[in-house]
Amino acid sequence: MIAQLDAIHQDAQAAIEDACDEAALEEFRIRFLGKKGALTQAASGMRDVSKEDKPAVGQKLNEVRQALTRFVEARSAQLLALKDAEAAKGIDVTLPGRRPQQAAFHPLTQVMHRGISALRQMGFTLAAGPEVETEFHCFDALNTPEDHPARNEKDTFYFADGHLLRTHTSSVQVRTMETTKPPVRIIAPGSAYRRDEIDSTHLSVFSQMEGLYVAEDVSLGDLKGTLERLFRAIFGPKTPVRFRPHFFPFTEPSFEIDIKLQPKGQDPRWIEIAGCGMVDPNVFRQICESRGDDVYDPDKVTGFAFGLGLERLAMIMWGIPDIRLLIENDQRFLRQFASA
Ligand code: PHE
């Protein structure tokens, strides 16, 4: 039996040389070490070995089994190394690694964060409303008459069922007052939609941030102070801010706000940046009617509202010459804001 085991050992030594891939190696393992393999079969011969010879034959059996197992292990490692080498062919492992790209907030998100953080410090909380709106929330409740140009089919995207894509975030003012008793002090950043031709200063989908503060005795002074503080937080503490009389259907009096900035390489100039005003009593009256109570009675509460375009804000802040850069998602453009 010793001779038989030696023969198996020798056969295996020759056969392992031919096991040149994983399938062949598995065949080898089954042929020699498997349940019905040569070694197992030889081992069953132990029954007939005499008592005196058993220890020696047993030892031999173990030695051959170990040797064969080592063949398989060594060959398997070799095949793996070969596979690795094949996979790494043509790769220079001494090259320096590639630096992972640093993530960054989009410039629009960055201005939004700045605005939100300044307003939060003044007690404003976030609010939101749907982008698919009713005519009521976008226009009627905001004292905007049927024949107002903003409601024109040329300016607003209407759905067949009469809904529309909100043309401004001011609809969130209405929704907030419908569901919340005064005092309210909210900011509502979000998308707005207009049928504008896309060019270097217009998009048909853009971002606004709305603000509303309603309580007893909110004054024009509060409006001025709040917005001056907001724009100085964003553009620097000495930025001149000016309020220019204007008209919006839902505020009275109304203003446009300009800030004086010096764009790179140009003379300082006033740049229009937001619309605002004291909430029109007609808006409050409509809210009372919708709510069926009088907590927004214009004799009891006053308030101010403002709205600003975030694209415009970003363009002014970084001197971005074309609004389309903000939606193209060109990495070469966006990467510049990674450390801001
Ligand atoms: N909704 C106005 C616009 O889109 C901005 C605005 C908001 C004006 C609130 C006054 C008060 O132009």
Side-chain angles (χ1 to χ4, degrees):
M1 186 161 163
I2 298 258
Q4 190 193 353
L5 289 171
D6 275 334
I8 291 175
H9 192 178
Q10 266 167 29
D11 276 359
Q13 200 149 25
I16 195 72
E17 295 301 323
D18 296 335
C20 53
D21 60 26
E22 270 164 45
L25 185 63
E26 181 62 6
E27 252 171 56
F28 172 94
R29 200 189 57 75
I30 292 168
R31 179 172 151 206
F32 289 99
L33 293 162
K35 268 192 197 129
K36 291 180 186 153
L39 204 64
T40 318
Q41 265 169 24
S44 66
M46 278 297 273
R47 262 177 285 149
D48 308 324
V49 176
S50 68
K51 218 173 175 185
E52 313 73 86
D53 290 343
K54 253 196 181 127
V57 176
Q59 198 185 347
K60 184 76 186 171
L61 185 66
N62 274 339
E63 275 169 21
V64 174
R65 178 174 289 124
Q66 276 165 17
L68 264 52
T69 309
R70 271 198 303 276
F71 285 165
V72 174
E73 282 167 0
R75 193 69 177 164
S76 167
Q78 250 174 16
L79 289 176
L80 202 67
L82 227 65
K83 222 167 145 187
D84 281 351
E86 186 67 26
K89 224 184 205 166
I91 296 175
D92 182 352
V93 292
T94 65
L95 279 175
R98 273 185 211 141
R99 194 179 279 276
Q101 249 178 49
Q102 177 128 27
F105 283 114
H106 189 282
L108 277 180
T109 310
Q110 290 186 31
V111 281
M112 186 178 85
H113 284 171
R114 284 200 206 182
I116 289 174
S117 109
L119 287 159
R120 280 188 115 121
Q121 285 175 15
M122 294 187 267
F124 286 79
T125 54
L126 283 171
E131 292 173 22
V132 175
E133 257 301 359
T134 61
E135 273 194 85
F136 176 76
H137 289 97
C138 199
F139 295 127
D140 299 287
L142 288 163
N143 198 35
T144 307
E146 201 84 55
D147 59 358
H148 192 278
R151 301 182 67 150
N152 200 297
E153 297 230 340
K154 279 206 210 101
D155 283 341
T156 299
F157 295 103
Y158 287 95
F159 293 93
D161 69 357
H163 280 78
L164 50 81
L165 291 175
R166 68 180 179 197
T167 58
H168 52 185
T169 44
S170 299
S171 52
V172 186
Q173 290 183 33
V174 179
R175 292 199 172 264
T176 304
M177 290 191 280
E178 278 178 343
T179 54
T180 322
K181 283 185 185 166
V184 292
R185 200 164 356 172
I186 52 119
I187 29 171
S191 296
Y193 303 80
R194 288 181 200 173
R195 274 188 193 268
D196 276 333
E197 282 297 328
I198 296 176
D199 61 25
S200 64
T201 52
H202 295 87
L203 295 174
S204 50
V205 185
F206 59 103
S207 320
Q208 286 194 330
M209 187 154 74
E210 191 80 13
L212 173 72
Y213 177 25
V214 180
E216 283 173 22
D217 292 331
V218 176
S219 71
L220 192 53
D222 296 322
L223 162 63
K224 245 187 126 214
T226 305
L227 290 172
E228 276 173 3
R229 197 180 160 134
L230 168 65
F231 291 120
R232 287 182 183 149
I234 298 177
F235 289 100
K238 293 204 177 110
T239 310
V241 181
R242 127 181 132 177
F243 292 74
R244 196 164 27 78
H246 194 72
F247 174 80
F248 295 105
F250 36 91
T251 48
E252 179 61 33
S254 305
F255 305 90
E256 276 189 334
I257 308 171
D258 303 329
I259 57 169
K260 198 172 198 176
L261 284 182
Q262 182 161 17
K264 259 192 201 135
Q266 296 174 26
D267 286 339
R269 62 183 161 96
W270 290 103
I271 297 171
E272 178 208 322
I273 198 155
C276 68
M278 300 304 291
V279 178
D280 194 297
N282 280 343
V283 173
F284 285 140
R285 280 185 203 109
Q286 179 59 59
I287 297 288
C288 287
E289 202 180 311
S290 301
R291 291 178 55 97
D293 64 18
D294 64 354
V295 291
Y296 281 96
D297 182 339
D299 290 332
K300 290 186 193 155
V301 294
T302 50
F304 68 75
F306 59 92
L308 42 105
L310 293 176
E311 283 81 0
R312 199 174 156 73
L313 218 58
M315 288 169 79
I316 294 168
M317 183 131 69
W318 285 293
I320 297 167
D322 191 317
I323 196 170
R324 290 168 288 201
L325 286 164
L326 290 168
I327 58 165
E328 280 165 358
N329 285 332
D330 185 329
Q331 290 283 310
R332 291 166 301 180
F333 169 72
L334 293 177
R335 220 175 282 143
Q336 300 175 78
F337 303 91
S339 58

